[in-house]
Amino acid sequence: MDIKIRDFVSDDAEAVHAVAMKAWRVTYRDIYDATFIERYVNTYYAPEQTTQLARRVREGEIFFAVAENETGVIGFCNMGQTQQGMKLFRIYLLPEFLRQGIGGLLLAKGEQYLRKQGLGSYFCFVHNANELGKRFYEKQGFHHVLERDHNDEW
């Protein structure tokens, strides 16, 4: 299986939405009800909203990459600057591609971007009930900082 990691372009917006919907339905099925998941993904991963990020990717303002194979986009990763520092906003894969090293490839590409920006670290939040996500981040070398927990974030 050949996996290509490349910059997000506006034509990827529909595929990113589809990946997000499938990933959220699996990742969060025991945390949120189906109505919440549909509404959240349709709001925060709406293709018309995501399309607007392509310009920022082209200009190097943010990191947003997709993983694709011969069938199309199978995952994505998005990082950007916040007041607290560089943040991993989102990383999702189609469920059938989990545990194959693709998430690690996406993070490695994001970390290359960070180094080019002169940044040595970044952070993320994960829902405290998202055991799949917590295991992934720990495997990737993230460290849980208890003091930064708030509400349902870990």
Side-chain angles (χ1 to χ4, degrees):
M1 168 177 49
D2 285 333
I3 303 296
K4 179 181 178 185
I5 309 294
R6 62 167 176 79
D7 286 348
F8 168 84
V9 295
S10 58
D11 288 344
D12 296 323
E14 292 285 342
V16 164
H17 178 266
V19 169
M21 187 64 77
K22 288 180 181 177
W24 268 71
R25 285 177 177 153
V26 170
T27 303
Y28 298 107
R29 68 178 164 231
D30 296 328
I31 301 171
Y32 300 115
D33 65 45
T35 302
F36 176 86
I37 291 171
E38 298 280 327
R39 187 173 52 248
Y40 189 91
V41 172
N42 286 332
T43 300
Y44 294 102
Y45 296 86
E48 51 277 0
Q49 180 179 334
T50 308
T51 298
Q52 297 175 21
L53 298 176
R55 177 193 56 77
R56 296 182 65 202
V57 173
R58 275 193 316 275
E59 294 175 3
E61 292 177 24
I62 62 170
F63 172 80
F64 195 160
V66 297
E68 66 181 354
N69 67 8
E70 62 280 352
T71 66
V73 173
I74 60 169
F76 61 92
C77 179
N78 175 213
M79 298 176 180
Q81 190 69 38
T82 69
Q83 290 181 340
Q84 295 81 30
M86 188 60 82
K87 180 178 180 180
L88 170 61
F89 291 119
R90 45 194 171 188
I91 181 169
Y92 290 102
L93 294 168
L94 290 174
E96 60 267 31
F97 292 99
L98 294 174
R99 296 181 185 92
Q100 298 179 32
I102 301 165
L105 293 174
L106 283 164
L107 284 182
K109 188 76 166 178
E111 289 166 0
Q112 286 178 354
Y113 168 85
L114 295 178
R115 285 191 294 278
K116 286 181 185 175
Q117 304 297 314
L119 301 167
S121 66
Y122 61 108
F123 70 97
C124 71
F125 289 105
V126 62
H127 192 286
N128 63 16
N130 180 356
E131 295 302 322
L132 176 70
K134 291 192 299 190
R135 283 192 311 270
F136 169 75
Y137 293 121
E138 287 174 337
K139 182 179 177 188
Q140 298 302 318
F142 283 73
H143 301 284
H144 180 216
V145 180
L146 188 62
E147 301 80 39
R148 295 192 74 177
D149 286 1
H150 54 86
N151 300 327
D152 57 2
E153 292 181 333
W154 184 82

Short mmCIF file of all heavy atoms in Angstrom, two decimals, residues 17-69:
data_model
loop_
_atom_site.label_atom_id
_atom_site.label_comp_id
_atom_site.label_asym_id
_atom_site.label_seq_id
_atom_site.Cartn_x
_atom_site.Cartn_y
_atom_site.Cartn_z
N HIS A 17 -14.01 16.18 4.83
CA HIS A 17 -15.29 16.10 5.54
C HIS A 17 -15.73 14.64 5.68
O HIS A 17 -16.14 14.22 6.78
CB HIS A 17 -16.36 16.90 4.80
CG HIS A 17 -17.70 16.84 5.44
ND1 HIS A 17 -18.66 15.93 5.05
CD2 HIS A 17 -18.25 17.56 6.46
CE1 HIS A 17 -19.74 16.08 5.79
NE2 HIS A 17 -19.51 17.07 6.66
N ALA A 18 -15.62 13.86 4.64
CA ALA A 18 -16.02 12.45 4.68
C ALA A 18 -15.16 11.66 5.67
O ALA A 18 -15.68 10.84 6.44
CB ALA A 18 -15.95 11.83 3.28
N VAL A 19 -13.86 11.90 5.65
CA VAL A 19 -12.96 11.22 6.60
C VAL A 19 -13.33 11.63 8.02
O VAL A 19 -13.42 10.77 8.92
CB VAL A 19 -11.47 11.54 6.31
CG1 VAL A 19 -10.57 11.08 7.44
CG2 VAL A 19 -11.04 10.92 4.99
N ALA A 20 -13.53 12.92 8.25
CA ALA A 20 -13.88 13.40 9.59
C ALA A 20 -15.17 12.73 10.08
O ALA A 20 -15.25 12.29 11.23
CB ALA A 20 -14.02 14.92 9.61
N MET A 21 -16.17 12.65 9.22
CA MET A 21 -17.45 12.07 9.63
C MET A 21 -17.27 10.60 10.02
O MET A 21 -17.75 10.17 11.09
CB MET A 21 -18.48 12.20 8.51
CG MET A 21 -19.87 11.78 8.92
SD MET A 21 -20.60 12.83 10.22
CE MET A 21 -21.08 14.27 9.26
N LYS A 22 -16.59 9.83 9.20
CA LYS A 22 -16.39 8.41 9.51
C LYS A 22 -15.54 8.24 10.77
O LYS A 22 -15.84 7.41 11.63
CB LYS A 22 -15.74 7.69 8.34
CG LYS A 22 -16.69 7.50 7.18
CD LYS A 22 -16.02 6.78 6.02
CE LYS A 22 -17.00 6.64 4.86
NZ LYS A 22 -16.38 6.02 3.69
N ALA A 23 -14.50 9.05 10.90
CA ALA A 23 -13.62 8.95 12.06
C ALA A 23 -14.36 9.33 13.34
O ALA A 23 -14.24 8.65 14.36
CB ALA A 23 -12.39 9.83 11.87
N TRP A 24 -15.11 10.42 13.30
CA TRP A 24 -15.85 10.84 14.49
C TRP A 24 -16.89 9.81 14.90
O TRP A 24 -17.11 9.58 16.08
CB TRP A 24 -16.52 12.20 14.23
CG TRP A 24 -15.66 13.35 14.66
CD1 TRP A 24 -14.51 13.79 14.07
CD2 TRP A 24 -15.88 14.19 15.79
NE1 TRP A 24 -14.01 14.86 14.76
CE2 TRP A 24 -14.83 15.12 15.81
CE3 TRP A 24 -16.86 14.24 16.76
CZ2 TRP A 24 -14.74 16.10 16.80
CZ3 TRP A 24 -16.78 15.22 17.74
CH2 TRP A 24 -15.72 16.13 17.75
N ARG A 25 -17.57 9.21 13.91
CA ARG A 25 -18.59 8.22 14.24
C ARG A 25 -17.99 7.03 14.99
O ARG A 25 -18.65 6.44 15.84
CB ARG A 25 -19.28 7.74 12.97
CG ARG A 25 -20.25 8.76 12.41
CD ARG A 25 -20.86 8.27 11.12
NE ARG A 25 -21.84 9.21 10.62
CZ ARG A 25 -22.15 9.34 9.34
NH1 ARG A 25 -21.58 8.56 8.43
NH2 ARG A 25 -23.05 10.22 8.97
N VAL A 26 -16.76 6.67 14.69
CA VAL A 26 -16.11 5.56 15.38
C VAL A 26 -15.45 6.04 16.68
O VAL A 26 -15.66 5.46 17.74
CB VAL A 26 -15.07 4.88 14.46
CG1 VAL A 26 -14.21 3.89 15.23
CG2 VAL A 26 -15.78 4.19 13.30
N THR A 27 -14.67 7.09 16.59
CA THR A 27 -13.90 7.57 17.74
C THR A 27 -14.78 8.02 18.90
O THR A 27 -14.46 7.77 20.06
CB THR A 27 -12.98 8.74 17.31
OG1 THR A 27 -12.14 8.30 16.24
CG2 THR A 27 -12.13 9.23 18.46
N TYR A 28 -15.86 8.70 18.59
CA TYR A 28 -16.67 9.33 19.63
C TYR A 28 -18.03 8.68 19.85
O TYR A 28 -18.86 9.23 20.57
CB TYR A 28 -16.84 10.82 19.31
CG TYR A 28 -15.52 11.55 19.28
CD1 TYR A 28 -14.96 11.97 18.08
CD2 TYR A 28 -14.81 11.79 20.45
CE1 TYR A 28 -13.73 12.61 18.05
CE2 TYR A 28 -13.59 12.43 20.43
CZ TYR A 28 -13.06 12.84 19.23
OH TYR A 28 -11.84 13.48 19.19
N ARG A 29 -18.28 7.51 19.28
CA ARG A 29 -19.60 6.88 19.38
C ARG A 29 -20.03 6.60 20.81
O ARG A 29 -21.22 6.59 21.09
CB ARG A 29 -19.64 5.60 18.54
CG ARG A 29 -18.76 4.50 19.08
CD ARG A 29 -18.86 3.23 18.26
NE ARG A 29 -17.74 2.37 18.61
CZ ARG A 29 -16.91 1.82 17.75
NH1 ARG A 29 -17.11 2.00 16.47
NH2 ARG A 29 -15.91 1.08 18.16
N ASP A 30 -19.08 6.35 21.71
CA ASP A 30 -19.43 6.10 23.11
C ASP A 30 -19.33 7.36 23.97
O ASP A 30 -19.52 7.29 25.19
CB ASP A 30 -18.51 5.02 23.69
CG ASP A 30 -18.69 3.68 23.00
OD1 ASP A 30 -19.83 3.38 22.56
OD2 ASP A 30 -17.70 2.93 22.88
N ILE A 31 -19.03 8.49 23.35
CA ILE A 31 -18.86 9.75 24.08
C ILE A 31 -20.00 10.72 23.76
O ILE A 31 -20.54 11.35 24.66
CB ILE A 31 -17.49 10.38 23.74
CG1 ILE A 31 -16.35 9.41 24.11
CG2 ILE A 31 -17.31 11.73 24.43
CD1 ILE A 31 -14.99 9.83 23.62
N TYR A 32 -20.35 10.84 22.48
CA TYR A 32 -21.39 11.76 22.04
C TYR A 32 -22.47 10.98 21.27
O TYR A 32 -22.17 9.96 20.65
CB TYR A 32 -20.82 12.83 21.10
CG TYR A 32 -19.74 13.68 21.71
CD1 TYR A 32 -18.44 13.64 21.22
CD2 TYR A 32 -20.02 14.55 22.75
CE1 TYR A 32 -17.44 14.43 21.76
CE2 TYR A 32 -19.02 15.35 23.30
CZ TYR A 32 -17.74 15.28 22.79
OH TYR A 32 -16.76 16.07 23.33
N ASP A 33 -23.69 11.53 21.26
CA ASP A 33 -24.73 10.87 20.48
C ASP A 33 -24.57 11.22 19.00
O ASP A 33 -23.86 12.17 18.63
CB ASP A 33 -26.13 11.21 21.00
CG ASP A 33 -26.51 12.67 20.87
OD1 ASP A 33 -26.27 13.27 19.80
OD2 ASP A 33 -27.06 13.23 21.83
N ALA A 34 -25.21 10.44 18.15
CA ALA A 34 -25.05 10.58 16.70
C ALA A 34 -25.45 11.96 16.19
O ALA A 34 -24.82 12.51 15.28
CB ALA A 34 -25.86 9.50 15.98
N THR A 35 -26.47 12.54 16.79
CA THR A 35 -26.92 13.87 16.38
C THR A 35 -25.84 14.92 16.64
O THR A 35 -25.57 15.77 15.78
CB THR A 35 -28.23 14.26 17.11
OG1 THR A 35 -29.21 13.26 16.82
CG2 THR A 35 -28.72 15.62 16.68
N PHE A 36 -25.23 14.86 17.80
CA PHE A 36 -24.15 15.79 18.12
C PHE A 36 -23.00 15.63 17.13
O PHE A 36 -22.46 16.62 16.61
CB PHE A 36 -23.64 15.58 19.55
CG PHE A 36 -22.46 16.47 19.86
CD1 PHE A 36 -22.64 17.75 20.33
CD2 PHE A 36 -21.15 16.01 19.66
CE1 PHE A 36 -21.55 18.58 20.59
CE2 PHE A 36 -20.06 16.82 19.91
CZ PHE A 36 -20.26 18.11 20.38
N ILE A 37 -22.59 14.40 16.86
CA ILE A 37 -21.48 14.13 15.93
C ILE A 37 -21.78 14.70 14.55
O ILE A 37 -20.94 15.40 13.97
CB ILE A 37 -21.17 12.63 15.86
CG1 ILE A 37 -20.57 12.16 17.20
CG2 ILE A 37 -20.23 12.31 14.69
CD1 ILE A 37 -20.42 10.66 17.33
N GLU A 38 -22.96 14.43 14.03
CA GLU A 38 -23.34 14.95 12.70
C GLU A 38 -23.27 16.47 12.68
O GLU A 38 -22.69 17.07 11.77
CB GLU A 38 -24.76 14.50 12.34
CG GLU A 38 -24.94 13.02 12.23
CD GLU A 38 -24.46 12.43 10.93
OE1 GLU A 38 -24.55 13.12 9.90
OE2 GLU A 38 -23.99 11.28 10.95
N ARG A 39 -23.87 17.09 13.69
CA ARG A 39 -23.90 18.55 13.74
C ARG A 39 -22.49 19.14 13.87
O ARG A 39 -22.13 20.09 13.18
CB ARG A 39 -24.80 19.01 14.90
CG ARG A 39 -25.04 20.51 14.93
CD ARG A 39 -26.06 20.95 15.97
NE ARG A 39 -25.76 20.44 17.31
CZ ARG A 39 -26.52 19.54 17.96
NH1 ARG A 39 -27.60 19.06 17.40
NH2 ARG A 39 -26.17 19.14 19.17
N TYR A 40 -21.68 18.55 14.74
CA TYR A 40 -20.32 19.05 14.96
C TYR A 40 -19.48 18.94 13.67
O TYR A 40 -18.85 19.92 13.25
CB TYR A 40 -19.65 18.28 16.10
CG TYR A 40 -18.34 18.88 16.51
CD1 TYR A 40 -18.28 19.83 17.52
CD2 TYR A 40 -17.14 18.53 15.88
CE1 TYR A 40 -17.08 20.41 17.89
CE2 TYR A 40 -15.95 19.10 16.25
CZ TYR A 40 -15.92 20.04 17.26
OH TYR A 40 -14.73 20.62 17.60
N VAL A 41 -19.47 17.77 13.08
CA VAL A 41 -18.66 17.58 11.87
C VAL A 41 -19.17 18.46 10.74
O VAL A 41 -18.38 19.07 10.01
CB VAL A 41 -18.61 16.09 11.47
CG1 VAL A 41 -17.92 15.91 10.12
CG2 VAL A 41 -17.89 15.28 12.54
N ASN A 42 -20.48 18.55 10.58
CA ASN A 42 -21.03 19.38 9.50
C ASN A 42 -20.78 20.86 9.72
O ASN A 42 -20.78 21.63 8.76
CB ASN A 42 -22.52 19.10 9.32
CG ASN A 42 -22.77 17.78 8.65
OD1 ASN A 42 -21.95 17.29 7.87
ND2 ASN A 42 -23.90 17.16 8.96
N THR A 43 -20.51 21.25 10.96
CA THR A 43 -20.18 22.65 11.25
C THR A 43 -18.69 22.91 11.13
O THR A 43 -18.25 23.80 10.40
CB THR A 43 -20.66 23.03 12.67
OG1 THR A 43 -22.07 22.86 12.74
CG2 THR A 43 -20.28 24.47 13.01
N TYR A 44 -17.87 22.12 11.84
CA TYR A 44 -16.44 22.41 11.94
C TYR A 44 -15.58 21.77 10.86
O TYR A 44 -14.40 22.10 10.75
CB TYR A 44 -15.93 22.03 13.33
CG TYR A 44 -16.55 22.91 14.38
CD1 TYR A 44 -17.60 22.45 15.17
CD2 TYR A 44 -16.12 24.22 14.55
CE1 TYR A 44 -18.19 23.27 16.11
CE2 TYR A 44 -16.71 25.05 15.49
CZ TYR A 44 -17.74 24.57 16.27
OH TYR A 44 -18.32 25.40 17.19
N TYR A 45 -16.16 20.90 10.06
CA TYR A 45 -15.44 20.28 8.95
C TYR A 45 -16.19 20.52 7.64
O TYR A 45 -15.98 19.80 6.67
CB TYR A 45 -15.24 18.78 9.18
CG TYR A 45 -14.38 18.47 10.38
CD1 TYR A 45 -14.93 18.40 11.66
CD2 TYR A 45 -13.02 18.26 10.24
CE1 TYR A 45 -14.14 18.12 12.76
CE2 TYR A 45 -12.22 17.97 11.34
CZ TYR A 45 -12.80 17.91 12.60
OH TYR A 45 -12.01 17.63 13.69
N ALA A 46 -17.06 21.51 7.64
CA ALA A 46 -17.84 21.82 6.45
C ALA A 46 -16.89 22.13 5.29
O ALA A 46 -15.96 22.92 5.45
CB ALA A 46 -18.75 23.01 6.71
N PRO A 47 -17.12 21.50 4.13
CA PRO A 47 -16.22 21.74 3.00
C PRO A 47 -16.03 23.21 2.65
O PRO A 47 -14.91 23.63 2.35
CB PRO A 47 -16.88 20.96 1.86
CG PRO A 47 -17.60 19.85 2.56
CD PRO A 47 -18.12 20.47 3.84
N GLU A 48 -17.10 24.00 2.72
CA GLU A 48 -16.96 25.42 2.37
C GLU A 48 -16.08 26.16 3.38
O GLU A 48 -15.41 27.12 3.02
CB GLU A 48 -18.33 26.11 2.23
CG GLU A 48 -19.29 25.91 3.37
CD GLU A 48 -20.08 24.60 3.30
OE1 GLU A 48 -19.91 23.79 2.37
OE2 GLU A 48 -20.87 24.38 4.23
N GLN A 49 -16.02 25.69 4.61
CA GLN A 49 -15.13 26.28 5.61
C GLN A 49 -13.71 25.76 5.43
O GLN A 49 -12.75 26.54 5.45
CB GLN A 49 -15.64 25.94 7.02
CG GLN A 49 -14.78 26.51 8.12
CD GLN A 49 -15.34 26.16 9.50
OE1 GLN A 49 -16.52 25.93 9.68
NE2 GLN A 49 -14.46 26.13 10.48
N THR A 50 -13.56 24.47 5.24
CA THR A 50 -12.24 23.86 5.11
C THR A 50 -11.53 24.36 3.84
O THR A 50 -10.32 24.58 3.87
CB THR A 50 -12.38 22.33 5.08
OG1 THR A 50 -13.15 21.91 6.20
CG2 THR A 50 -11.02 21.65 5.12
N THR A 51 -12.28 24.57 2.78
CA THR A 51 -11.70 25.06 1.52
C THR A 51 -10.90 26.34 1.73
O THR A 51 -9.86 26.54 1.13
CB THR A 51 -12.82 25.31 0.49
OG1 THR A 51 -13.47 24.07 0.22
CG2 THR A 51 -12.29 25.88 -0.80
N GLN A 52 -11.38 27.18 2.64
CA GLN A 52 -10.72 28.46 2.88
C GLN A 52 -9.33 28.31 3.48
O GLN A 52 -8.52 29.25 3.42
CB GLN A 52 -11.60 29.32 3.79
CG GLN A 52 -12.93 29.67 3.16
CD GLN A 52 -13.83 30.41 4.12
OE1 GLN A 52 -13.38 31.00 5.09
NE2 GLN A 52 -15.12 30.40 3.84
N LEU A 53 -9.01 27.15 4.04
CA LEU A 53 -7.69 26.94 4.63
C LEU A 53 -6.61 26.71 3.57
O LEU A 53 -5.43 26.85 3.87
CB LEU A 53 -7.73 25.75 5.60
CG LEU A 53 -8.65 25.92 6.80
CD1 LEU A 53 -8.68 24.64 7.63
CD2 LEU A 53 -8.23 27.11 7.65
N ALA A 54 -7.00 26.38 2.36
CA ALA A 54 -6.02 26.07 1.30
C ALA A 54 -5.07 27.24 1.05
O ALA A 54 -3.87 27.04 0.86
CB ALA A 54 -6.74 25.66 0.02
N ARG A 55 -5.59 28.45 1.05
CA ARG A 55 -4.73 29.62 0.83
C ARG A 55 -3.69 29.73 1.93
O ARG A 55 -2.51 29.98 1.67
CB ARG A 55 -5.57 30.91 0.78
CG ARG A 55 -4.72 32.17 0.62
CD ARG A 55 -5.50 33.46 0.89
NE ARG A 55 -6.12 33.51 2.19
CZ ARG A 55 -5.47 33.77 3.35
NH1 ARG A 55 -4.17 33.98 3.34
NH2 ARG A 55 -6.12 33.80 4.50
N ARG A 56 -4.11 29.51 3.18
CA ARG A 56 -3.18 29.61 4.31
C ARG A 56 -2.11 28.52 4.23
O ARG A 56 -0.97 28.74 4.65
CB ARG A 56 -3.95 29.56 5.62
CG ARG A 56 -4.87 30.78 5.77
CD ARG A 56 -5.61 30.79 7.08
NE ARG A 56 -4.66 30.94 8.17
CZ ARG A 56 -4.91 30.58 9.41
NH1 ARG A 56 -6.07 30.03 9.73
NH2 ARG A 56 -4.01 30.75 10.35
N VAL A 57 -2.47 27.35 3.73
CA VAL A 57 -1.49 26.27 3.53
C VAL A 57 -0.47 26.70 2.47
O VAL A 57 0.74 26.59 2.68
CB VAL A 57 -2.18 24.95 3.13
CG1 VAL A 57 -1.16 23.88 2.76
CG2 VAL A 57 -3.08 24.45 4.25
N ARG A 58 -0.97 27.18 1.34
CA ARG A 58 -0.09 27.62 0.24
C ARG A 58 0.88 28.70 0.70
O ARG A 58 2.03 28.73 0.29
CB ARG A 58 -0.92 28.18 -0.92
CG ARG A 58 -1.41 27.18 -1.90
CD ARG A 58 -1.95 27.83 -3.18
NE ARG A 58 -2.79 29.00 -2.96
CZ ARG A 58 -4.09 28.98 -2.72
NH1 ARG A 58 -4.74 27.85 -2.63
NH2 ARG A 58 -4.76 30.10 -2.54
N GLU A 59 0.42 29.59 1.57
CA GLU A 59 1.25 30.70 2.05
C GLU A 59 2.11 30.32 3.24
O GLU A 59 2.85 31.16 3.75
CB GLU A 59 0.36 31.91 2.36
CG GLU A 59 -0.29 32.46 1.10
CD GLU A 59 -1.28 33.59 1.37
OE1 GLU A 59 -1.45 34.00 2.55
OE2 GLU A 59 -1.89 34.06 0.39
N GLY A 60 2.02 29.07 3.69
CA GLY A 60 2.85 28.59 4.79
C GLY A 60 2.42 29.05 6.16
O GLY A 60 3.17 28.91 7.13
N GLU A 61 1.20 29.59 6.28
CA GLU A 61 0.71 30.09 7.57
C GLU A 61 0.33 28.95 8.52
O GLU A 61 0.42 29.11 9.73
CB GLU A 61 -0.51 30.97 7.37
CG GLU A 61 -0.23 32.28 6.67
CD GLU A 61 -1.52 33.06 6.44
OE1 GLU A 61 -2.51 32.85 7.17
OE2 GLU A 61 -1.53 33.88 5.51
N ILE A 62 -0.15 27.85 7.96
CA ILE A 62 -0.57 26.71 8.77
C ILE A 62 -0.08 25.43 8.10
O ILE A 62 0.29 25.43 6.92
CB ILE A 62 -2.11 26.62 8.94
CG1 ILE A 62 -2.79 26.44 7.58
CG2 ILE A 62 -2.64 27.82 9.70
CD1 ILE A 62 -4.27 26.11 7.67
N PHE A 63 -0.11 24.36 8.87
CA PHE A 63 0.18 23.04 8.33
C PHE A 63 -1.14 22.29 8.22
O PHE A 63 -1.89 22.19 9.20
CB PHE A 63 1.13 22.26 9.24
CG PHE A 63 1.30 20.82 8.81
CD1 PHE A 63 2.14 20.50 7.77
CD2 PHE A 63 0.58 19.82 9.43
CE1 PHE A 63 2.27 19.19 7.34
CE2 PHE A 63 0.71 18.50 9.03
CZ PHE A 63 1.55 18.19 7.98
N PHE A 64 -1.42 21.81 7.03
CA PHE A 64 -2.60 20.98 6.81
C PHE A 64 -2.22 20.02 5.69
O PHE A 64 -2.00 20.44 4.55
CB PHE A 64 -3.80 21.84 6.41
CG PHE A 64 -5.14 21.16 6.50
CD1 PHE A 64 -6.29 21.93 6.58
CD2 PHE A 64 -5.29 19.78 6.50
CE1 PHE A 64 -7.55 21.35 6.66
CE2 PHE A 64 -6.53 19.18 6.57
CZ PHE A 64 -7.67 19.98 6.66
N ALA A 65 -2.11 18.76 6.02
CA ALA A 65 -1.72 17.75 5.05
C ALA A 65 -2.76 16.64 5.01
O ALA A 65 -3.47 16.40 5.99
CB ALA A 65 -0.35 17.16 5.39
N VAL A 66 -2.81 15.97 3.88
CA VAL A 66 -3.68 14.80 3.73
C VAL A 66 -2.80 13.59 3.45
O VAL A 66 -1.71 13.70 2.88
CB VAL A 66 -4.73 14.98 2.61
CG1 VAL A 66 -5.68 16.12 2.94
CG2 VAL A 66 -4.08 15.18 1.25
N ALA A 67 -3.31 12.44 3.87
CA ALA A 67 -2.70 11.16 3.51
C ALA A 67 -3.62 10.55 2.46
O ALA A 67 -4.85 10.55 2.63
CB ALA A 67 -2.61 10.25 4.73
N GLU A 68 -3.03 10.07 1.40
CA GLU A 68 -3.87 9.45 0.38
C GLU A 68 -3.22 8.18 -0.14
O GLU A 68 -2.00 8.01 -0.09
CB GLU A 68 -4.17 10.42 -0.77
CG GLU A 68 -2.99 10.83 -1.61
CD GLU A 68 -3.36 11.81 -2.72
OE1 GLU A 68 -4.54 12.11 -2.94
OE2 GLU A 68 -2.43 12.28 -3.38
N ASN A 69 -4.07 7.30 -0.61
CA ASN A 69 -3.61 6.10 -1.30
C ASN A 69 -4.27 6.08 -2.66
O ASN A 69 -4.82 7.09 -3.11
CB ASN A 69 -3.89 4.83 -0.46
CG ASN A 69 -5.36 4.52 -0.31
OD1 ASN A 69 -6.23 5.15 -0.94
ND2 ASN A 69 -5.68 3.55 0.52
#
